[in-house]
Amino acid sequence: MNPIYVTKPSLPPLEDLIPYLQKIWETRVLTNSGPFHQQLEAELCKYLNVKHISLFSNATLALVTALKALRITGDVITTPYSFVATTHSLTWNDIKPVFVDIDPRTLNIDPNKIEEAITPDTTAIMAVHCYGIPCDVDAIERIARKHNLRIIYDAAHAFGVKCHCGSLLSHGDLSVLSFHATKVFNTFEGGAIVCDDLSMKERIDQLKNFGFVDEVTVNAAGINAKMSEFNAALGLLQLQHIDDELLKRSVIAKRYIAVLSDTLGITCLYAGKVNTNFSYFPILIDEKHKWSRDEIYHRLRGNGVFARRYFYPLISDFPMYRSLYSSNKSNLREAIRASNEVLCLPIYGSMSPMEQEKVINLVLDASY
Ligand code: T4K
């Protein structure tokens, strides 16, 4: 059997791409907010039920730009339990990350621990909707309002996730999406910033295009983070299939939950939660299970199943963050536990029942 990776990117039928390529070849508009770029922004606003979207070449540059757009400086409260790009975006803006522990039920930043980390230098909260599971947005908003802080959501995993008031992406000052190959909605590489306000969208559009306002005016030290017409065309095609991809993932997730969630020592993070996009399938394997997380991880690899330990190591354990006061292990007990127990099992729309049964059998009996 072929290797089973943690994800297999969804792709539109190749022949559907040809008319888009023909158009690009005819018009020679390759980038700089061309017609496909504009169309994708409009269609995503509609699909995601948000006011404004600015497309980016990837989510990391979108995070860096989001912080610039809000003029964030000083210290920002964030989670150590994420992909390293979350914290790197702060560092690229000369902002000091302040790590706060996570809620063991969601693995998102724990709002109950945010206030004790706030100092006069704190300017914002950067939270992550990890695996597409929503943060406690109401609690975070209450704290931010009380202390006059900005909120940036790293929503790299949260494409299309809804919440009590519509789109999860409408919360906070800005939300950032990733359209990387490994995400539920991909444009090969890509990302976006979601915002509520037209003047903010204009500022972001300028920042991602070197700071140009018009042909002769540059009003900020911007960067080049634009999405090309090729990536935008892919996005338009992917959008036609996204509902199908999400549905297939939910079926696969339900099967995992049905067979794994009653196993001693295994917790399925998604069990009982409906408002996620099943962008990953994280399980926690604790000491009650007969095999450790790493034993299962290695047995899976040995049998051609490439599950991933997202997120191990913790960001706070990487050399450039280790010496921060907030990286102290006693401050991050739940994040350390999750990082040592988590395993993301393969999930993707085109996963066959046979592939899934192989993964399940290996997890249930790692001596396989
Ligand atoms: N914030 C958060 C919370 C994030 O998770 C991420 C990215 C970001 C921000 C930044 O977003 P971007 O700047 O990337 O838009 C991957 C992705 O590179 C990264 O985008 C993602 N998070 C992270 C969680 O995972 P790796 O190093 O684990 O990827 P890789 O290359 O090992 O791929 C995983 C598996 O996927 C492979 O074993 C096979 C399969 N695969 C991968 C690629 C790239 C394919 O089948 N085809 C492909 O083209 O980081």
Side-chain angles (χ1 to χ4, degrees):
M1 209 189 240
N2 288 330
I4 302 172
Y5 293 113
V6 70
T7 191
K8 195 184 266 186
S10 64
L11 284 174
L14 191 53
E15 60 273 20
D16 291 0
L17 186 60
I18 306 297
Y20 287 85
L21 293 180
Q22 277 167 340
K23 180 98 185 278
I24 293 173
W25 259 245
E26 269 163 33
T27 61
R28 307 272 160 152
V29 179
L30 311 186
T31 186
N32 288 7
S33 196
F36 290 145
H37 183 284
Q38 288 173 36
Q39 191 184 340
L40 183 59
E41 286 193 343
E43 289 195 17
L44 281 173
C45 279
K46 218 159 125 205
Y47 181 82
L48 296 170
N49 188 21
V50 296
K51 285 208 181 120
H52 302 287
I53 280 203
S54 179
L55 294 173
F56 274 74
S57 49
N58 61 63
T60 305
L61 283 171
L63 285 167
V64 168
T65 308
L67 290 159
K68 250 316 170 239
L70 293 169
R71 298 185 170 85
I72 306 289
T73 56
D75 295 4
V76 169
I77 286 175
T78 189
T79 168
Y81 191 84
S82 181
F83 189 60
V84 72
T86 310
T87 311
H88 281 353
S89 71
L90 298 169
T91 306
W92 274 70
N93 276 290
D94 289 326
I95 292 164
K96 186 170 106 190
V98 177
F99 296 118
V100 162
D101 209 358
I102 56 171
D103 179 338
R105 292 163 306 170
T106 61
L107 310 193
N108 291 327
I109 196 165
D110 186 344
N112 293 318
K113 296 187 179 145
I114 290 179
E115 280 200 278
E116 64 203 47
I118 294 173
T119 71
D121 294 330
T122 311
T123 55
I125 300 166
M126 182 180 268
V128 180
H129 302 299
C130 204
Y131 315 126
I133 298 172
C135 289
D136 186 344
V137 287
D138 293 334
I140 292 174
E141 263 150 37
R142 270 197 303 276
I143 296 165
R145 216 171 300 128
K146 182 170 159 197
H147 297 273
N148 195 23
L149 305 176
R150 299 292 210 156
I151 306 170
I152 300 107
Y153 282 111
D154 178 338
H157 303 177
F159 186 90
V161 179
K162 300 188 175 53
C163 70
H164 52 294
C165 55
S167 170
L168 181 64
L169 304 171
S170 302
H171 288 273
D173 292 284
L174 299 174
S175 289
V176 172
L177 288 162
S178 171
F179 305 150
H180 181 258
T182 54
K183 300 296 188 287
V184 279
F185 174 83
N186 85 76
T187 57
F188 286 19
E189 288 274 2
I193 301 181
V194 177
C195 68
D196 260 358
D197 174 53
L198 183 58
S199 62
M200 176 56 77
K201 149 103 173 126
E202 284 165 0
R203 175 165 164 75
I204 292 166
D205 285 348
Q206 290 161 8
L207 281 171
K208 77 175 179 196
N209 186 29
F210 314 98
F212 274 107
V213 178
D214 59 41
E215 213 177 306
V216 291
T217 318
V218 172
N219 74 351
I223 199 160
N224 181 1
K226 293 170 268 110
M227 178 182 275
S228 82
E229 284 293 276
F230 176 75
N231 300 94
L234 276 169
L236 289 167
L237 282 168
Q238 299 283 40
L239 213 42
Q240 295 171 14
H241 304 279
I242 183 68
D243 288 335
D244 185 47
E245 173 70 20
L246 294 175
L247 182 67
K248 285 179 175 154
R249 281 171 179 259
S250 76
V251 172
I252 292 163
K254 277 181 196 136
R255 171 86 184 125
Y256 274 140
I257 291 167
V259 292
L260 296 179
S261 60
D262 285 337
T263 309
L264 189 67
I266 292 186
T267 306
C268 294
L269 220 62
Y270 284 148
K273 291 187 183 72
V274 282
N275 61 335
T276 176
N277 54 6
F278 305 108
S279 48
Y280 295 82
F281 195 86
I283 60 171
L284 298 172
I285 302 157
D286 63 37
E287 72 287 342
K288 291 191 231 73
H289 195 64
K290 56 183 171 172
W291 307 100
S292 73
R293 187 276 307 270
D294 284 345
E295 281 168 332
I296 295 180
Y297 168 77
H298 288 297
R299 295 297 291 185
L300 285 168
R301 280 185 81 93
N303 286 278
V305 175
F306 295 86
R308 293 297 290 267
R309 292 168 291 187
Y310 295 132
F311 290 102
Y312 166 85
L314 284 181
I315 301 176
S316 48
D317 281 338
F318 288 122
M320 66 297 297
Y321 301 120
R322 211 176 276 160
S323 58
L324 288 170
Y325 179 71
S326 62
S327 294
N328 198 302
K329 293 199 183 320
S330 62
N331 187 41
L332 304 172
R333 288 183 207 283
E334 295 301 342
I336 292 168
R337 190 204 311 266
S339 182
N340 289 331
E341 293 182 352
V342 75
L343 193 61
C344 286
L345 300 181
I347 186 165
Y348 43 91
S350 60
M351 189 176 199
S352 70
M354 238 170 71
E355 286 177 319
Q356 189 175 16
E357 286 320 297
K358 176 171 176 174
V359 177
I360 289 167
N361 290 337
L362 282 164
V363 171
L364 289 179
D365 184 3
S367 62
Y368 194 76

